[in-house]
Coordinates of all heavy atoms in Angstrom, one line a residue:
M340 N -11.2 -1.3 -7.3 CA -9.8 -1.0 -7.2 C -9.6 -0.2 -6.0 O -10.3 0.7 -5.6 CB -9.4 -0.2 -8.5 CG -8.0 0.3 -8.4 SD -7.7 1.5 -9.8 CE -7.2 0.4 -11.1
K341 N -8.5 -0.6 -5.3 CA -8.1 0.2 -4.1 C -6.7 0.7 -4.2 O -5.9 0.2 -5.0 CB -8.1 -0.8 -2.8 CG -9.5 -1.2 -2.4 CD -9.4 -2.1 -1.2 CE -10.8 -2.5 -0.7 NZ -10.7 -3.4 0.4
T342 N -6.4 1.8 -3.5 CA -5.1 2.4 -3.6 C -4.7 3.0 -2.3 O -5.5 3.3 -1.4 CB -5.1 3.5 -4.7 OG1 -3.8 4.0 -4.9 CG2 -6.0 4.7 -4.3
R343 N -3.4 3.0 -2.1 CA -2.9 3.7 -0.9 C -1.5 4.2 -1.2 O -0.8 3.8 -2.2 CB -2.9 2.8 0.3 CG -2.0 1.6 0.2 CD -2.1 0.6 1.4 NE -1.5 -0.6 1.0 CZ -0.2 -0.9 1.0 NH1 0.6 0.1 1.4 NH2 0.3 -2.0 0.6
I344 N -1.0 5.2 -0.4 CA 0.3 5.8 -0.6 C 1.1 5.5 0.7 O 0.6 5.7 1.8 CB 0.2 7.3 -0.8 CG1 -0.4 7.5 -2.2 CG2 1.6 8.0 -0.7 CD1 -0.6 9.0 -2.6
D345 N 2.3 5.0 0.5 CA 3.2 4.9 1.6 C 3.8 6.2 1.9 O 4.7 6.7 1.2 CB 4.3 3.8 1.2 CG 5.3 3.6 2.4 OD1 5.3 4.4 3.4 OD2 6.1 2.7 2.3
E346 N 3.4 6.9 3.0 CA 3.8 8.2 3.2 C 5.3 8.3 3.7 O 5.9 9.4 3.6 CB 2.9 8.9 4.3 CG 1.5 9.1 3.7 CD 0.6 10.0 4.6 OE1 1.1 10.9 5.3 OE2 -0.6 9.8 4.6
D347 N 5.8 7.2 4.1 CA 7.2 7.2 4.5 C 8.1 7.2 3.2 O 9.2 7.8 3.2 CB 7.6 5.9 5.3 CG 7.0 5.9 6.6 OD1 6.7 7.0 7.2 OD2 6.7 4.8 7.2
T348 N 7.5 6.7 2.1 CA 8.3 6.7 0.8 C 8.0 8.0 0.0 O 8.9 8.5 -0.7 CB 7.9 5.5 0.0 OG1 8.1 4.3 0.8 CG2 8.7 5.4 -1.3
C349 N 6.8 8.5 0.1 CA 6.5 9.7 -0.7 C 7.4 10.9 -0.4 O 7.8 11.1 0.7 CB 5.0 10.1 -0.3 SG 4.5 11.7 -1.0
I350 N 7.8 11.5 -1.5 CA 8.7 12.7 -1.3 C 8.0 14.0 -1.6 O 8.6 15.0 -1.8 CB 10.0 12.6 -2.3 CG1 9.6 12.4 -3.7 CG2 10.9 11.4 -1.8 CD1 10.7 12.5 -4.7
G351 N 6.6 13.9 -1.8 CA 5.8 15.0 -2.0 C 6.0 15.7 -3.3 O 5.8 16.9 -3.4
C352 N 6.3 15.0 -4.4 CA 6.5 15.6 -5.7 C 5.2 16.2 -6.3 O 5.3 17.1 -7.1 CB 7.2 14.6 -6.6 SG 6.0 13.5 -7.5
G353 N 4.1 15.7 -5.9 CA 2.8 16.3 -6.3 C 2.3 15.7 -7.6 O 1.2 16.2 -8.1
L354 N 3.0 14.8 -8.2 CA 2.5 14.3 -9.5 C 1.1 13.6 -9.4 O 0.2 13.8 -10.2 CB 3.5 13.3 -10.1 CG 3.1 12.7 -11.4 CD1 4.3 12.5 -12.3 CD2 2.4 11.3 -11.3
C355 N 1.0 12.8 -8.3 CA -0.3 12.1 -8.2 C -1.5 13.0 -7.9 O -2.5 12.8 -8.4 CB -0.2 11.1 -7.0 SG 0.2 11.7 -5.4
T356 N -1.2 14.1 -7.1 CA -2.3 15.0 -6.8 C -2.7 15.9 -8.0 O -3.8 16.3 -8.1 CB -2.0 15.9 -5.6 OG1 -0.8 16.6 -5.8 CG2 -1.8 15.0 -4.3
S357 N -1.8 16.1 -8.9 CA -2.1 16.8 -10.1 C -2.7 15.9 -11.2 O -3.6 16.3 -11.9 CB -0.9 17.6 -10.6 OG 0.1 16.8 -10.9
T358 N -2.2 14.6 -11.2 CA -2.7 13.7 -12.2 C -4.1 13.2 -11.9 O -5.0 13.1 -12.7 CB -1.8 12.5 -12.3 OG1 -0.5 12.9 -12.7 CG2 -2.3 11.5 -13.4
A359 N -4.4 12.9 -10.6 CA -5.6 12.3 -10.2 C -6.1 13.0 -8.9 O -6.1 12.4 -7.8 CB -5.5 10.8 -9.9
P360 N -6.5 14.3 -9.0 CA -6.8 15.1 -7.8 C -8.1 14.6 -7.1 O -8.3 14.9 -5.9 CB -7.0 16.5 -8.3 CG -7.3 16.4 -9.7 CD -6.5 15.1 -10.2
E361 N -8.9 13.8 -7.8 CA -10.1 13.2 -7.2 C -9.8 11.9 -6.4 O -10.6 11.4 -5.7 CB -11.1 12.9 -8.3 CG -10.8 11.7 -9.2 CD -9.8 12.1 -10.3 OE1 -9.1 13.1 -10.2 OE2 -9.7 11.3 -11.3
V362 N -8.5 11.5 -6.5 CA -8.1 10.3 -5.8 C -7.1 10.6 -4.7 O -7.2 10.0 -3.6 CB -7.5 9.2 -6.8 CG1 -7.1 7.9 -6.1 CG2 -8.5 9.0 -8.0
Y363 N -6.2 11.5 -5.0 CA -5.1 11.8 -4.0 C -5.1 13.2 -3.6 O -5.4 14.1 -4.5 CB -3.7 11.4 -4.7 CG -3.7 10.0 -5.2 CD1 -3.7 9.7 -6.6 CD2 -3.6 8.9 -4.3 CE1 -3.6 8.4 -7.1 CE2 -3.6 7.6 -4.8 CZ -3.6 7.4 -6.2 OH -3.6 6.1 -6.7
E364 N -4.7 13.5 -2.4 CA -4.5 14.9 -2.0 C -3.3 15.0 -1.1 O -2.8 14.0 -0.5 CB -5.8 15.4 -1.2 CG -6.0 14.7 0.1 CD -7.3 15.2 0.8 OE1 -8.0 16.0 0.2 OE2 -7.5 14.7 1.9
M365 N -2.8 16.2 -1.1 CA -1.6 16.5 -0.3 C -2.0 16.8 1.2 O -2.9 17.5 1.4 CB -0.8 17.7 -0.9 CG 0.6 17.8 -0.5 SD 1.6 16.3 -1.1 CE 1.8 16.7 -2.8
G366 N -1.3 16.2 2.1 CA -1.5 16.4 3.5 C -0.7 17.6 4.0 O 0.2 18.1 3.3
D367 N -1.0 18.0 5.2 CA -0.3 19.1 5.8 C 1.2 18.8 6.0 O 2.1 19.8 6.0 CB -0.8 19.4 7.2 CG -2.2 20.0 7.1 OD1 -2.6 20.5 6.1 OD2 -3.0 19.9 8.2
S368 N 1.6 17.6 6.0 CA 3.0 17.2 6.2 C 3.8 17.3 4.9 O 5.0 17.0 4.9 CB 3.0 15.7 6.7 OG 2.4 14.9 5.8
G369 N 3.1 17.6 3.8 CA 3.7 17.6 2.5 C 3.8 16.3 1.8 O 4.5 16.1 0.8
K370 N 3.2 15.3 2.4 CA 3.1 14.0 1.8 C 1.7 13.7 1.4 O 0.7 14.2 2.0 CB 3.4 12.9 2.9 CG 4.8 13.1 3.6 CD 5.9 12.8 2.6 CE 7.3 13.0 3.4 NZ 7.7 11.7 3.9
A371 N 1.6 13.0 0.3 CA 0.2 12.8 -0.3 C -0.4 11.5 0.3 O 0.3 10.7 0.9 CB 0.3 12.6 -1.8
H372 N -1.7 11.5 0.2 CA -2.5 10.3 0.7 C -3.7 10.1 -0.2 O -4.1 11.1 -0.9 CB -2.9 10.4 2.1 CG -3.7 11.6 2.5 ND1 -3.1 12.8 3.0 CD2 -5.0 11.9 2.3 CE1 -4.0 13.7 3.1 NE2 -5.2 13.1 2.8
A373 N -4.2 8.9 -0.2 CA -5.5 8.7 -0.9 C -6.6 9.3 -0.2 O -6.7 9.2 1.1 CB -5.7 7.2 -1.1
I374 N -7.5 10.0 -0.9 CA -8.7 10.6 -0.2 C -9.6 9.5 0.4 O -10.1 9.7 1.5 CB -9.4 11.5 -1.3 CG1 -8.5 12.6 -1.7 CG2 -10.7 12.0 -0.6 CD1 -9.1 13.4 -2.9
Q375 N -9.7 8.5 -0.4 CA -10.4 7.3 0.1 C -9.8 6.1 -0.5 O -9.2 6.1 -1.5 CB -11.9 7.4 -0.2 CG -12.2 7.5 -1.7 CD -13.7 7.6 -1.9 OE1 -14.5 8.0 -1.1 NE2 -14.1 7.3 -3.1
E376 N -9.9 5.0 0.3 CA -9.2 3.8 -0.1 C -9.7 3.2 -1.5 O -8.9 2.7 -2.3 CB -9.3 2.7 1.0 CG -8.5 1.5 0.7 CD -8.7 0.4 1.8 OE1 -9.7 0.4 2.4 OE2 -7.8 -0.5 1.9
V377 N -11.0 3.3 -1.6 CA -11.6 2.8 -2.9 C -11.5 3.9 -3.9 O -12.1 5.0 -3.7 CB -13.0 2.3 -2.6 CG1 -13.6 1.8 -3.9 CG2 -13.0 1.2 -1.6
V378 N -10.9 3.5 -5.1 CA -10.8 4.5 -6.2 C -12.2 4.7 -6.8 O -12.9 3.8 -7.1 CB -9.9 4.0 -7.3 CG1 -9.9 4.9 -8.5 CG2 -8.5 3.8 -6.7
P379 N -12.6 6.0 -6.9 CA -14.0 6.3 -7.4 C -14.1 5.7 -8.8 O -13.2 5.7 -9.6 CB -14.1 7.8 -7.5 CG -13.0 8.3 -6.6 CD -11.9 7.2 -6.5
E380 N -15.3 5.2 -9.2 CA -15.6 4.7 -10.5 C -15.3 5.8 -11.5 O -15.6 6.9 -11.4 CB -17.1 4.3 -10.6 CG -17.4 3.3 -11.7 CD -18.7 2.7 -11.5 OE1 -19.2 2.5 -10.4 OE2 -19.3 2.4 -12.6
G381 N -14.6 5.4 -12.6 CA -14.2 6.3 -13.7 C -12.8 6.9 -13.5 O -12.3 7.5 -14.3
S382 N -12.2 6.7 -12.3 CA -10.9 7.3 -12.0 C -9.8 6.2 -12.0 O -8.7 6.5 -11.6 CB -10.9 8.0 -10.6 OG -11.8 9.1 -10.7
E383 N -10.2 5.0 -12.4 CA -9.2 3.9 -12.3 C -7.9 4.2 -13.2 O -6.8 4.0 -12.8 CB -9.8 2.6 -12.8 CG -10.8 2.0 -11.8 CD -12.2 2.5 -12.0 OE1 -12.4 3.4 -12.9 OE2 -13.1 1.9 -11.4
S384 N -8.2 4.8 -14.4 CA -7.0 5.0 -15.3 C -6.1 6.1 -14.8 O -4.9 6.0 -14.9 CB -7.5 5.2 -16.7 OG -8.3 6.3 -16.8
T385 N -6.7 7.1 -14.2 CA -5.8 8.2 -13.7 C -5.1 7.8 -12.5 O -4.0 8.2 -12.2 CB -6.6 9.5 -13.5 OG1 -7.8 9.2 -12.7 CG2 -7.0 10.2 -14.8
A386 N -5.8 7.0 -11.6 CA -5.1 6.5 -10.5 C -3.9 5.6 -10.9 O -2.8 5.7 -10.3 CB -6.1 5.7 -9.6
Q387 N -4.1 4.8 -11.9 CA -3.0 3.9 -12.4 C -1.9 4.8 -13.0 O -0.7 4.5 -12.7 CB -3.6 2.9 -13.4 CG -2.6 1.9 -13.9 CD -2.2 0.9 -12.8 OE1 -3.0 0.3 -12.2 NE2 -0.9 0.9 -12.4
E388 N -2.3 5.8 -13.7 CA -1.3 6.7 -14.3 C -0.4 7.4 -13.2 O 0.8 7.5 -13.4 CB -2.0 7.8 -15.1 CG -1.2 8.6 -16.0 CD -2.0 9.7 -16.8 OE1 -3.1 9.4 -17.1 OE2 -1.4 10.7 -17.1
A389 N -1.1 7.8 -12.2 CA -0.4 8.4 -11.1 C 0.6 7.4 -10.4 O 1.7 7.7 -10.1 CB -1.3 8.9 -10.0
A390 N 0.1 6.2 -10.2 CA 0.9 5.1 -9.6 C 2.1 4.8 -10.5 O 3.3 4.7 -10.0 CB 0.1 3.9 -9.4
D391 N 1.9 4.8 -11.8 CA 3.0 4.5 -12.7 C 4.0 5.6 -12.7 O 5.2 5.4 -13.0 CB 2.5 4.2 -14.1 CG 1.7 2.9 -14.2 OD1 1.8 2.1 -13.3 OD2 0.9 2.8 -15.2
G392 N 3.5 6.9 -12.5 CA 4.4 8.0 -12.7 C 5.1 8.4 -11.4 O 6.0 9.2 -11.5
C393 N 4.7 7.9 -10.3 CA 5.3 8.3 -9.0 C 6.8 8.0 -9.1 O 7.2 6.8 -9.3 CB 4.7 7.6 -7.8 SG 5.5 8.0 -6.3
P394 N 7.7 9.0 -8.9 CA 9.1 8.7 -9.0 C 9.7 7.8 -8.0 O 10.8 7.2 -8.2 CB 9.7 10.1 -8.9 CG 8.7 10.9 -8.2 CD 7.4 10.4 -8.5
V395 N 9.0 7.6 -6.9 CA 9.6 6.7 -5.8 C 8.7 5.5 -5.6 O 8.8 4.8 -4.6 CB 9.8 7.5 -4.5 CG1 10.9 8.5 -4.7 CG2 8.5 8.2 -4.0
S396 N 7.7 5.3 -6.5 CA 6.8 4.1 -6.5 C 6.2 4.0 -5.1 O 6.1 2.9 -4.5 CB 7.6 2.8 -6.8 OG 8.1 2.9 -8.1
A397 N 5.6 5.1 -4.6 CA 5.0 5.1 -3.3 C 3.6 4.7 -3.3 O 2.9 4.4 -2.3 CB 5.1 6.4 -2.6
I398 N 3.0 4.6 -4.5 CA 1.6 4.3 -4.7 C 1.3 2.9 -5.0 O 1.9 2.3 -5.9 CB 1.0 5.2 -5.8 CG1 1.2 6.7 -5.5 CG2 -0.6 5.0 -5.9 CD1 0.8 7.6 -6.6
T399 N 0.5 2.3 -4.2 CA 0.1 0.9 -4.4 C -1.4 0.8 -4.9 O -2.2 1.6 -4.5 CB 0.1 0.1 -3.1 OG1 1.4 0.2 -2.6 CG2 -0.3 -1.4 -3.3
I400 N -1.6 0.0 -6.0 CA -2.9 -0.2 -6.5 C -3.2 -1.7 -6.3 O -2.4 -2.5 -6.6 CB -2.9 0.1 -8.0 CG1 -2.6 1.5 -8.3 CG2 -4.3 -0.3 -8.6 CD1 -3.7 2.5 -8.4
D401 N -4.4 -1.9 -5.7 CA -4.8 -3.3 -5.5 C -6.1 -3.5 -6.4 O -7.1 -2.8 -6.2 CB -5.1 -3.6 -4.1 CG -3.9 -3.6 -3.2 OD1 -2.9 -4.1 -3.7 OD2 -3.9 -3.1 -2.1
E402 N -6.0 -4.5 -7.3 CA -7.2 -4.8 -8.0 C -8.1 -5.7 -7.1 O -7.5 -6.4 -6.2 CB -6.8 -5.6 -9.3 CG -6.0 -4.9 -10.3 CD -6.7 -3.7 -10.9 OE1 -7.9 -3.7 -10.9 OE2 -6.0 -2.9 -11.5
P403 N -9.4 -5.6 -7.2 CA -10.3 -6.4 -6.3 C -10.0 -7.9 -6.5 O -9.7 -8.4 -7.6 CB -11.6 -6.0 -6.8 CG -11.5 -5.4 -8.1 CD -10.1 -4.8 -8.2
Ligands
LIG1559 FE1 4.3 11.4 -3.3 FE2 4.6 10.0 -5.4 FE3 2.5 11.4 -5.1 S1 6.2 11.1 -4.4 S2 3.2 13.2 -4.0 S3 3.1 9.7 -3.9 S4 3.6 11.0 -7.0

C-alpha cells in the first residue's frame, strides 16, 4: 500500500498525524505529508482511517 498527501489541498487539520503518526507527519509549513511513500506493514488500517477522515480528502491511498 502506498500513500501520499496533496499538500495544496491539506488544510493542516492534524487528523492524519494524530490517527496514524507512524505514517504521516506535519511539516514546517503546517501541511502534513507521508513520512514514506510505502505504508509500513501493520499500519494499513490506520492509514486508511486517516484518509477516510481527512476533511478535504487530501490523502490518496494506492493499493499495490
Ligand atoms: Fe491535512 Fe487532511 Fe491530514 S487536512 S493534516 S491531510 S487529515
Side-chain angles (χ1 to χ4, degrees):
M340 175 188 273
K341 291 182 178 179
T342 188
R343 63 187 164 77
I344 291 179
D345 180 350
E346 292 191 31
D347 291 334
T348 303
C349 172
I350 56 171
C352 84
L354 180 141
C355 59
T356 55
S357 58
T358 301
E361 70 281 18
V362 183
Y363 306 108
E364 67 182 3
M365 201 61 77
D367 293 339
S368 60
K370 306 291 183 88
H372 57 263
I374 297 169
Q375 54 182 25
E376 186 183 20
V377 177
V378 175
E380 202 167 325
S382 295
E383 289 89 351
S384 60
T385 48
Q387 186 67 58
E388 189 181 331
D391 291 344
C393 176
V395 292
S396 301
I398 304 176
T399 303
I400 300 265
D401 292 320
E402 298 292 344

